[in-house]
């Protein structure tokens, strides 16, 4: 299923154009809580939008936000792959301790079979076996990075969340019985995603820039509709 329908990086041999759509209807089985929250958010905020717009317009909005989120994610992933190639090639061309440390610091290299600290020390000592092993690992890491996949509807769901805050800014949302206006809640969620995306924690497997892309395309689409003063969009 992942090979066929998950969204692959467009530099990967597994990439197919239809994946921009199909990955929106998939989700990782490793985090059922994330899936539950996505579906709850879609129901909680999406039902209000669908009642206002109608099912057809809502579906068009949802799909466009999902595709927009994917495009933004692809742009970030392209930049990351280009940066990885720059640091990796610097080490492959000149396998010094400093170049390896720079690569590890930027991309948080991890090898379950070899201690990274031991590998760094061996490279610093000029151990040719360790250098050759590091080269193999770096090449494998580049290949795995370029073959990364993404699944899930989070980007489209963030578009729905943004649209609710945009159209109903003063609506009250109860968070653990505390009332919060929708515009403040949405702003907080978006700022949280910006912070998490910039931090780029090594153990974080959430596509934060896809979330932001969904919100961005939601804003652009809503602005376009408002300028045309159209009550429907077909």
């Amino acid at each position: 299923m992942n090979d066929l329908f998950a969204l692959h990086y467009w530099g990967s041999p597994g990439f197919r154009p239809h994946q921009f759509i199909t990955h929106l209807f998939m989700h990782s089985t490793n985090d059922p809580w994330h899936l539950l929250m996505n579906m709850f958010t879609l129901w909680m905020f999406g039902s209000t939008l669908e009642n206002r717009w109608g099912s057809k317009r809502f579906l068009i909005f949802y799909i466009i936000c999902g595709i927009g989120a994917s495009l933004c994610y692809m742009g970030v992933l392209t930049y990351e792959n280009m940066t990885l190639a720059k640091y990796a090639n610097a080490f492959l061309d000149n396998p010094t301790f400093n170049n390896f440390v720079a690569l590890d610091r930027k991309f948080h290299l991890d090898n379950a079979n070899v201690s990274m600290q031991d590998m760094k020390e061996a490279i610093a000592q000029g151990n040719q076996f360790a250098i050759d092993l590091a080269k193999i690992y770096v090449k494998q890491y580049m290949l795995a990075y370029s073959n990364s996949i993404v699944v899930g509807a989070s980007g489209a769901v963030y578009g729905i969340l943004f649209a609710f805050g945009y159209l109903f800014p003063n609506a009250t949302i109860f968070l653990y019985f505390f009332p919060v206006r929708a515009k403040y809640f949405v702003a907080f969620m978006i700022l949280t995603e910006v912070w998490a995306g910039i931090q780029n924690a090594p153990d974080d497997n959430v596509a934060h820039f896809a979330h932001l892309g969904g919100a961005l395309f939601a804003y652009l689409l809503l602005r376009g509709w408002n300028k045309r003063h159209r009550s429907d969009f077909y």
Side-chain angles (χ1 to χ4, degrees):
M1 294 290 287
N2 280 337
D3 290 343
L4 290 174
F5 302 122
L7 180 60
H8 293 65
Y9 172 57
W10 47 35
S12 165
F15 170 74
R16 299 292 183 274
H18 69 262
Q19 294 167 357
F20 278 107
I21 299 292
T22 56
H23 85 283
L24 298 174
F25 302 95
M26 301 177 65
H27 204 282
S28 171
T29 58
N30 296 328
D31 192 358
W33 177 249
H34 191 184
L35 173 61
L36 178 63
M37 291 304 299
N38 270 353
M39 297 301 96
F40 177 74
T41 304
L42 180 60
W43 167 77
M44 182 176 179
F45 300 104
S47 58
T48 302
L49 298 176
E50 186 177 11
N51 288 336
R52 174 167 177 165
W53 291 339
S55 298
K56 188 173 182 179
R57 184 181 183 187
F58 176 80
L59 179 61
I60 291 172
F61 181 84
Y62 183 83
I63 295 297
I64 289 177
C65 287
I67 294 175
S70 305
L71 291 173
C72 290
Y73 173 76
M74 279 292 189
V76 171
L77 198 57
T78 299
Y79 171 77
E80 290 179 347
N81 272 278
M82 292 173 62
T83 305
L84 172 60
K86 174 185 174 181
Y87 279 83
N89 288 328
F91 171 73
L92 294 174
D93 295 337
N94 185 22
T96 63
F97 171 77
N98 289 337
N99 283 341
F100 187 78
V101 169
L103 175 60
D104 180 47
R105 185 179 296 117
K106 186 71 175 178
F107 286 92
H108 312 291
L109 301 178
D110 183 30
N111 191 330
N113 300 318
V114 179
S115 167
M116 295 305 296
Q117 185 59 39
D118 291 343
M119 183 176 287
K120 291 177 184 177
E121 293 176 358
I123 293 173
Q125 295 169 3
N127 186 311
Q128 190 58 46
F129 177 77
I131 292 174
D132 292 339
L133 184 64
K135 284 184 175 181
I136 294 173
Y137 177 68
V138 168
K139 291 177 181 178
Q140 292 175 341
Y141 186 88
M142 291 176 65
L143 180 62
Y145 207 92
S146 65
N147 286 326
S148 62
I149 62 172
V150 63
V151 295
S154 296
V157 170
Y158 260 78
I160 298 300
L161 182 64
F162 179 87
F164 184 89
Y166 184 89
L167 296 174
F168 308 100
N170 295 314
T172 301
I173 299 172
F174 286 90
L175 299 177
Y176 300 103
F177 306 106
F178 292 100
V180 179
R181 289 189 178 182
K183 58 186 176 182
Y184 299 131
F185 174 72
V186 172
F188 172 77
M189 294 296 292
I190 290 177
L191 290 175
T192 300
E193 290 300 312
V194 172
W195 180 84
I198 294 174
Q199 291 297 310
N200 193 24
D203 58 344
D204 187 357
N205 61 354
V206 177
H208 297 286
F209 286 103
H211 297 175
L212 296 172
L216 173 62
F217 271 73
Y219 170 74
L220 295 175
L221 194 53
L222 290 169
R223 288 280 293 181
W225 288 351
N226 285 345
K227 285 182 178 180
R228 288 192 293 269
H229 299 288
R230 295 173 62 178
S231 59
D232 294 302
F233 180 77
Y234 298 107

